[in-house]
């Protein structure tokens, strides 16, 4: 029998309460006695917990839910556990993750969208209130060992520099004792920007030696579990495995993609029919479920150019290989649990996607997904894509698949990621495995459940009360509902019967079987697209008791029911901080317009040797304006080489460096167009100032400009950059001084050869100040400053 728990766990940290007793004067007194020091542990029988959260996987992708991508680990766990076919997420990555980790709705914890588009509105600030402590902190303060491996997209962008603050980082205020992974929305699987705790680290090997991020994360997770059980066998652990897979870029070893050669040649329309047939045959969807129709915004496979179809098929082959490869790494974690003899005592949640499949890759797909984020997808012509077909998934790519494949991976539902109104954006297949705590192995659960339900479920399974006080701050109640009752009661009435949804204006509400929804914005239309006013959105109504996939709109037949649910959505939206609705894009990318802080204010920024791993939000923006780079360097001889400063990498960015002794400026547009300007003479030995000026043409976004190079104020070269990137260089590459980490902006250098051979005293970046974004020389700047006074 488990002894009674003597700890007051509702207040965290658990208060130290010394027991009264006799205190003797002399320790040698025979009456001297003190109770033994007992380390704080969770209540008896608290299980190990492993949460696996994959990225951008639709309901109809995994073979565990009828999809074409083979996921034997998910199937293995489902055979010994439970499948959930009505589990829901928020439709976007960072919101889902923050909701999972806190047990609260995403707007309640400030994550109404991704961190990169945060505003000053409370529901969209990306700041988690201290009244809503994360689950890992609660578990750690109750005696669990805690570790996270993989993606963390919950850090406000102005807190992502090497100096933090680290309150929102996993191993800072997030409650994880161990963290190894990356900060941000996505990462290069071949050459990632990694952190161990809060310290930047480099990958243990290059891609040429077979390195892959998902494998590395699994290595670390396996090693941590082994060590934890070797050193603390009595202490349960909480492990959160959140690889960047299968978010774009879809990077995977070629042999995994080649397993699917020819399997997708018939296109996405046929694939949806095949997947739906498997779902019905396996009983994963109700017998009366219908396959929803394709919307006109999504082209039919037969309408795609014949010469492009082989490229499109290859995109899906690469993605399928990526998902299978990821599932294989999850399998290594499961094998380790079995080897350690703790598999049956471990509660595993395998959530196959933090939202629906991603339709952010455009209708044609992308070799570099950053093209669409910059409104420049047109640069990737069908001819260009065909020329890159064999490189998809390789280190030279930053690839994504077509909108049509995303839609197919969300079978049988409508729409995709970002579309929170429809199940295609929010319904994700989930597997629960816990032989000690579940009944009916291989069973299916169809109660409505949501990602905010995980935290209360884990606490109930561990016998830990929801805390009322954490670190001296009174806590607001969790907003999820424990789903532990479903583990042993397959037919129990659902307890989570009301849930709102909202993402970039796409919104809906679920209540006791009914759902009222309205799609407001199309995911792949990012730049230069204006959605309709919110009041002109058309609402739909579905009866989930007989229409599993939202195939039959009943809005015209039941206007009273629709009106009631619309009102209910507004009530819930007001309660949880959804209002005001915000569908802006470009305005939210600019920090000043969005109202969020910036790490660097003003138009000038200084850098010093050794600085690096600076995210794009940690550096003053040079986009759509003139800028200059000035550096004082010391060369031992006149044939210097290496990077002075670089921002971005192979798939977009700029760099100032020395090449064979000559000052060089390189601007890389999406890895498609490379503009390189070199000085005419060598930089002499000794201490010198070198300078590169970029004079923006003005007149709009993404324009070009003229480049001038100087040694000690004397011109040494000039050239032209015909176009620039207007919105973002990279989601994962950084700014580095004296070297370039990650992939190189220019092919003139790679890896170790990017290191500067002399000494850099300082580097200064200045950006333009006038209304057209032109750079002003010091005298003009002074004149304007005097005039303003």
């Amino acid at each position: 029998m488990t002894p009674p728990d003597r700890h007051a766990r509702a207040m965290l940290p658990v208060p130290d309460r010394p027991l009264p007793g006799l205190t003797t004067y002399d320790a040698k007194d025979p009456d001297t006695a003190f109770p033994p020091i007992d380390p704080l542990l969770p209540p008896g029988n608290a299980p190990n917990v492993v949460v696996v959260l994959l990225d951008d996987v639709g309901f109809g992708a995994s073979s565990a839910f009828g999809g074409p991508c083979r996921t034997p680990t998910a199937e293995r766990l489902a055979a010994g556990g439970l499948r959930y076919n009505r589990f829901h997420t928020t439709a976007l990555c960072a919101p889902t993750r923050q909701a999972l980790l806190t047990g609260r709705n995403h707007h309640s914890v400030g994550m109404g969208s991704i961190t990169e588009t945060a505003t000053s509105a409370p529901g969209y600030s990306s700041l988690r209130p201290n009244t809503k402590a994360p689950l890992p902190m609660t578990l750690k303060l109750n005696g669990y060992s805690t570790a996270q491996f993989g993606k963390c997209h919950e850090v406000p962008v102005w807190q992502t520099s090497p100096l933090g603050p680290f309150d929102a980082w996993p191993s800072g205020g997030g409650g994880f004792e161990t963290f190894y992974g990356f900060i941000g929305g996505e990462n290069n699987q071949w050459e990632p920007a990694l952190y161990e705790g809060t310290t930047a680290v480099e990958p243990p090997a290059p891609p040429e030696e077979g390195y892959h991020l998902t494998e590395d994360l699994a290595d670390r997770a396996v090693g941590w579990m082994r060590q934890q059980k070797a050193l603390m066998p009595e202490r349960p652990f909480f492990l959160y495995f959140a690889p960047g897979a299968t978010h774009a870029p879809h990077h995977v070893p070629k042999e995994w993609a080649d397993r699917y050669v020819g399997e997708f040649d018939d296109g996405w329309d046929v694939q949806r029919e095949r997947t739906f047939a498997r779902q019905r045959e396996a009983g994963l969807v109700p017998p009366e479920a219908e396959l929803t129709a394709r919307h006109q915004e999504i082209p039919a496979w037969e309408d795609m150019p014949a010469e492009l179809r082989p490229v499109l098929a290859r995109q899906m082959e690469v993605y399928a290989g990526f998902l299978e490869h990821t599932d294989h790494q999850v399998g290594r974690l499961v094998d380790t649990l079995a080897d350690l003899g703790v598999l049956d005592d471990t509660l595993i949640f395998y959530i196959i996607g933090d939202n629906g499949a991603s339709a952010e890759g455009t209708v044609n797909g992308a070799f570099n997904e950053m093209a669409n984020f910059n409104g420049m997808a047109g640069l990737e012509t069908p001819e260009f894509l065909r020329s890159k077909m064999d490189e998809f998934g390789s280190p030279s790519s930053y690839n994504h698949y077509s909108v049509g494949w995303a839609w197919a991976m969300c079978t049988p539902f409508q729409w995709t990621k970002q579309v929170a109104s429809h199940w295609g954006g929010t319904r994700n297949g989930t597997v629960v495995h816990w032989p000690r705590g579940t009944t009916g192995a291989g069973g299916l659960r169809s109660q409505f459940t949501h990602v905010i339900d995980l935290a209360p479920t884990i606490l109930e399974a561990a016998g830990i009360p929801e805390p009322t006080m954490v670190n001296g701050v009174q806590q607001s109640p969790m907003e999820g509902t424990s789903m532990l009752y479903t583990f042993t009661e397959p037919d129990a009435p659902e307890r989570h019967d009301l849930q709102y949804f909202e993402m970039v204006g796409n919104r809906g509400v679920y209540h006791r079987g009914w759902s009222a929804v309205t799609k407001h914005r199309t995911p792949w239309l990012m730049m230069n697209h204006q959605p309709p006013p919110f009041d002109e959105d058309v609402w739909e109504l579905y009866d989930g008791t007989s229409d599993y996939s939202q195939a039959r709109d009943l809005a015209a037949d039941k206007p009273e029911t629709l009106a009631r649910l619309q009102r209910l959505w507004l009530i819930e939206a007001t309660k949880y901080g959804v209002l005001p609705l915000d569908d802006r894009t470009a305005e939210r990318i600019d920090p000043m317009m969005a109202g969020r802080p910036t790490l660097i204010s003003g138009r000038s920024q200084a850098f010093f040797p050794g600085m690096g791993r600076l995210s794009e939000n940690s550096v003053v923006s040079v986009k759509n304006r003139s800028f200059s780079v000035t550096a004082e360097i010391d060369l031992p001889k006149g044939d210097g080489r290496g990077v002075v400063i670089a921002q971005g990498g192979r798939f977009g960015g700029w760099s100032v460096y020395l090449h064979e002794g000559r000052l060089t400026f390189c601007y890389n547009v999406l890895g498609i167009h490379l503009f390189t300007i070199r000085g005419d003479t060598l930089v002499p030995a000794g201490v010198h100032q070198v300078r590169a000026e970029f004079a923006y043409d003005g007149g709009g976004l993404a324009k070009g400009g003229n480049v001038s190079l100087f040694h000690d104020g004397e011109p040494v070269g000039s050239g032209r950059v015909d176009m620039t990137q207007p919105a973002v260089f990279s989601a994962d590459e950084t700014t580095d001084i004296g070297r370039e980490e990650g992939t190189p902006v220019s092919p003139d250098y790679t890896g170790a050869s990017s290191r500067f051979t002399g000494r850099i005293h300082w580097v200064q970046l200045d950006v333009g100040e006038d209304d057209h974004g032109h750079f002003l020389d010091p005298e003009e700047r002074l004149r304007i400053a005097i005039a303003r006074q």
Side-chain angles (χ1 to χ4, degrees):
M1 179 179 294
T2 302
D5 186 16
R6 62 181 179 84
H7 296 292
R9 298 180 185 270
M11 182 180 292
L12 300 177
V14 173
D16 294 324
R17 298 190 297 174
L19 298 175
L22 174 67
T23 300
T24 60
Y25 179 75
D26 188 336
K28 297 186 294 296
D29 188 315
D31 289 332
T32 300
F34 296 95
I37 298 174
D38 292 325
L40 175 66
L41 292 173
N45 294 323
N48 304 304
V49 180
V50 174
V51 174
V52 177
L53 180 66
L54 301 192
D55 206 327
D56 285 3
V57 187
F59 183 88
S62 162
S63 59
F65 287 87
C69 309
R70 293 179 278 278
T71 52
T73 300
E75 293 187 51
R76 167 189 171 190
L77 291 174
L82 306 171
R83 285 179 173 92
Y84 284 76
N85 68 350
R86 292 177 71 227
F87 182 91
H88 300 84
T89 54
T90 70
L92 200 59
C93 45
T96 290
R97 291 159 194 274
Q98 195 70 295
L100 183 155
L101 290 170
T102 62
R104 276 87 170 187
N105 287 301
H106 54 300
H107 294 89
S108 289
V109 284
M111 204 65 75
S113 184
I114 55 174
T115 57
E116 291 82 356
T117 59
T119 73
S120 54
Y124 302 85
S125 67
S126 73
L127 294 169
R128 175 183 52 79
N130 60 9
T131 55
K132 298 174 173 63
L135 171 69
M137 179 65 73
T138 297
L139 294 176
K140 182 181 78 168
L141 294 177
N142 274 281
Y144 267 82
S145 296
T146 57
Q148 176 180 346
F149 299 92
K151 169 177 171 176
C152 172
H153 198 185
E154 302 91 65
V155 180
V157 290
W158 63 92
Q159 298 180 8
T160 58
S161 84
L163 291 182
F166 300 113
D167 297 344
W169 289 53
S171 58
F176 288 105
E177 297 166 316
T178 296
F179 170 66
Y180 180 77
F182 62 93
I183 304 295
E186 63 188 55
N187 220 320
N188 190 316
Q189 294 283 322
W190 301 111
E191 299 181 73
L194 293 172
Y195 285 90
E196 188 161 6
T198 59
T199 302
V201 295
E202 294 306 309
E208 296 79 14
E209 296 179 13
Y211 177 85
H212 191 279
L213 174 58
T214 315
E215 297 174 10
D216 185 16
L217 296 174
D219 288 343
R220 290 295 192 113
V222 165
W224 183 85
M225 287 191 294
R226 288 171 173 168
Q227 180 169 258
Q228 198 275 344
K229 284 305 168 197
L231 298 178
M232 298 180 175
E234 301 304 316
R235 185 180 299 274
F237 62 72
F238 174 71
L239 186 146
Y240 178 38
F241 188 73
T246 57
H247 195 293
H250 300 160
H251 284 161
V252 68
K254 184 176 182 295
E255 59 269 22
W256 288 84
D258 286 350
R259 297 182 180 192
Y260 291 87
V261 168
E263 294 190 23
F264 302 105
D265 290 352
D266 293 330
W268 44 71
D269 296 288
V270 171
Q271 182 57 59
R272 274 183 62 98
E273 294 172 357
R274 290 172 177 166
T275 296
F276 184 58
R278 284 194 295 266
Q279 291 171 338
R280 295 189 69 177
E281 181 180 359
L284 296 168
V285 300
E288 71 276 6
E290 298 179 30
L291 181 61
T292 56
R294 176 173 43 79
H295 291 273
Q296 62 180 4
E297 293 94 328
I298 304 170
W301 176 260
E302 292 304 320
D303 292 337
M304 299 302 293
E307 65 273 14
L308 189 60
R309 290 178 203 162
V311 180
L312 298 171
R314 184 57 179 172
Q315 292 170 5
M316 187 58 217
E317 292 168 5
V318 170
Y319 177 82
F322 192 20
L323 181 51
E324 183 176 354
H325 176 265
T326 303
D327 179 81
H328 178 76
Q329 310 313 316
V330 176
R332 295 174 54 207
L333 272 64
V334 176
D335 290 343
T336 300
L337 292 169
D339 293 343
L340 293 170
V342 297
L343 180 58
D344 287 355
D345 294 322
T346 300
L347 171 56
I348 301 175
F349 291 90
Y350 191 169
I351 307 171
I352 309 176
D354 55 355
N355 41 243
S358 171
E360 296 153 346
T362 81
V363 170
N364 288 348
F367 187 70
N368 178 2
E369 67 156 346
M370 287 295 124
N372 194 33
F373 289 116
N374 281 280
M376 305 174 79
L379 292 178
E380 294 197 337
T381 63
E383 294 74 22
F384 172 83
L385 292 172
R386 279 188 63 87
S387 72
K388 297 292 186 179
M389 179 173 164
D390 293 337
E391 298 178 49
F392 274 78
S394 74
S396 65
S397 68
Y398 208 83
N399 53 305
H400 205 326
Y401 59 12
S402 166
V403 164
W405 291 124
W407 172 65
M409 293 304 101
C410 294
T411 303
F413 307 117
Q414 301 181 54
W415 297 111
T416 60
K417 174 185 177 181
Q418 291 193 30
V419 186
S421 51
H422 292 75
W423 298 146
T426 62
R427 187 164 284 179
N428 287 91
T430 295
V431 174
V432 170
H433 184 274
W434 188 25
R436 182 163 65 82
T438 60
T439 59
L444 181 70
R445 298 294 187 267
S446 295
Q447 293 92 342
F448 184 97
T449 48
H450 192 275
V451 69
I452 62 175
D453 298 340
L454 252 73
T457 303
I458 291 168
L459 291 180
E460 184 179 1
I464 295 174
E466 182 181 331
T468 57
M469 189 82 69
V470 176
N471 294 324
V473 179
Q474 185 170 346
Q475 298 296 293
S476 65
M478 287 186 176
E479 294 156 10
T481 301
S482 173
M483 50 194 279
L484 194 71
Y485 73 98
T486 67
F487 289 7
T488 56
E489 301 177 55
D491 300 318
E494 65 188 24
R495 298 180 184 177
H496 189 151
D497 61 3
L498 173 60
Q499 180 63 46
Y500 83 91
F501 295 89
E502 191 280 334
M503 195 64 61
V504 293
N506 299 316
R507 54 205 189 275
V509 65
Y510 171 84
H511 187 226
R512 297 178 181 174
W514 289 91
S515 59
V517 303
T518 180
K519 175 188 166 290
H520 177 74
R521 183 175 204 107
T522 302
W524 55 94
L525 301 179
M526 298 181 185
M527 305 286 284
N528 305 315
H529 171 68
Q530 183 59 48
F534 292 114
D535 287 343
E536 294 181 11
D537 288 334
V538 177
W539 284 75
E540 303 160 14
L541 178 68
Y542 298 98
D543 180 2
T545 62
S546 59
D547 182 9
Y548 172 81
S549 59
Q550 295 178 321
R552 301 185 299 276
D553 180 11
L554 303 177
D557 299 332
K558 294 183 176 294
E560 298 86 0
T561 302
L562 176 61
R564 177 179 62 82
L565 289 173
Q566 287 174 307
R567 188 185 311 114
L568 188 56
W569 180 88
L570 187 59
I571 292 170
E572 294 297 289
T574 303
K575 181 190 304 183
Y576 294 114
V578 180
L579 302 178
L581 291 170
D582 195 342
D583 61 358
R584 297 172 298 165
T585 52
E587 298 91 337
R588 292 177 66 172
I589 292 174
D590 182 271
M592 185 173 297
M593 297 181 70
R596 64 176 176 270
T598 56
L599 184 65
I600 300 298
S601 58
R603 299 181 180 274
S604 184
Q605 186 171 4
F607 305 92
F608 297 95
M611 292 179 68
R613 193 62 70 78
L614 302 176
S615 68
E616 204 159 311
N617 290 283
S618 301
V619 178
V620 63
S621 176
V622 301
K623 301 177 191 73
N624 310 305
R625 62 181 66 181
S626 298
F627 67 95
S628 73
V629 174
T630 307
E632 184 174 277
I633 61 175
D634 185 354
L635 292 178
K637 52 184 180 179
D639 61 348
R641 61 178 171 79
V643 169
V644 176
I645 181 173
Q647 181 176 42
R650 179 183 295 133
F651 307 103
W654 59 273
S655 177
V656 175
Y657 58 99
L658 268 59
H659 178 70
E660 297 178 349
R662 293 193 293 165
L663 180 63
T664 304
F665 176 88
C666 178
Y667 198 106
N668 180 333
V669 179
L670 300 168
I672 300 174
H673 297 291
L674 203 67
F675 303 96
T676 303
I677 297 93
R678 302 193 198 280
D680 299 327
T681 61
L682 300 181
V683 180
V687 178
H688 299 277
Q689 279 194 15
V690 294
R691 181 177 176 88
E693 291 187 1
F694 174 74
Y696 189 63
D697 291 341
L701 304 178
K703 304 300 181 182
N706 296 317
V707 177
S708 302
L709 304 177
F710 301 86
H711 296 172
D712 299 318
E714 296 296 323
V716 296
S718 62
R720 175 78 184 162
V721 172
D722 291 334
M723 65 179 69
T724 56
Q725 289 181 216
V728 60
F729 289 121
S730 172
D732 59 338
E733 300 277 6
T734 56
T735 297
D736 303 292
I737 310 300
R739 67 199 188 284
E740 184 169 12
E741 308 292 358
T743 65
V745 169
S746 168
D748 283 344
Y749 56 83
T750 56
S753 69
S754 72
R755 295 194 174 273
F756 193 73
T757 55
R759 182 182 178 190
I760 297 173
H761 293 169
W762 51 263
V763 179
Q764 182 163 315
L765 174 62
D766 295 288
V767 299
E769 297 184 2
D770 72 349
D771 293 338
H772 301 288
H774 288 92
F775 178 77
L776 304 178
D777 62 34
E779 291 184 4
E780 181 70 5
R781 190 183 309 126
L782 179 61
R783 183 189 65 76
I784 291 178
I786 293 173
R788 287 174 177 169
Q789 291 178 355

